[in-house]
């Protein structure tokens, strides 16, 4: 499960764009457009949240895994 990519507001791990001027401009634009979409009644943003799986996952088997001590 740890290898499955998930959605994050922070962007790609290891990417330092958020610490730059371009990153702050992008974040401001994202907030502006998301706020506008929400005010127009666009409900798609309610389906986007931190930790959301970015791929379809099909569970084929479930079992209890015992940890080695």
């Amino acid at each position: 499960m740890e290898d499955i990519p998930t959605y994050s507001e922070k962007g790609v791990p290891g990417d330092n764009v958020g610490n730059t001027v371009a990153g702050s401009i992008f974040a401001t634009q994202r907030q502006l457009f998301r706020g506008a979409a929400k005010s127009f009644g666009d409900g798609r943003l309610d389906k986007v949240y931190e930790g959301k799986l970015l791929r379809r996952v099909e569970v084929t088997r479930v079992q209890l895994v015992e940890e080695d001590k």
Side-chain angles (χ1 to χ4, degrees):
M1 287 293 288
E2 295 166 355
D3 295 336
I4 298 174
T6 58
Y7 177 80
S8 173
E9 286 281 330
K10 299 173 189 124
V12 180
D15 187 8
N16 293 327
V17 173
N19 299 332
T20 63
V21 173
S24 66
I25 291 171
F26 175 75
T28 303
Q29 286 179 335
R30 181 178 59 216
Q31 289 175 344
L32 175 75
F33 286 113
R34 284 184 172 196
K38 207 170 233 186
S39 70
F40 294 137
D42 191 344
R44 291 177 290 177
L45 288 174
D46 296 334
K47 297 176 184 174
V48 177
Y49 52 88
E50 190 80 20
K52 180 179 181 179
L53 296 177
L54 294 179
R55 294 187 182 156
R56 180 178 170 184
V57 177
E58 184 175 330
V59 178
T60 58
R61 183 177 58 158
V62 178
Q63 71 181 45
L64 181 62
V65 178
E66 306 248 350
E67 292 185 32
D68 293 332
K69 292 183 180 181

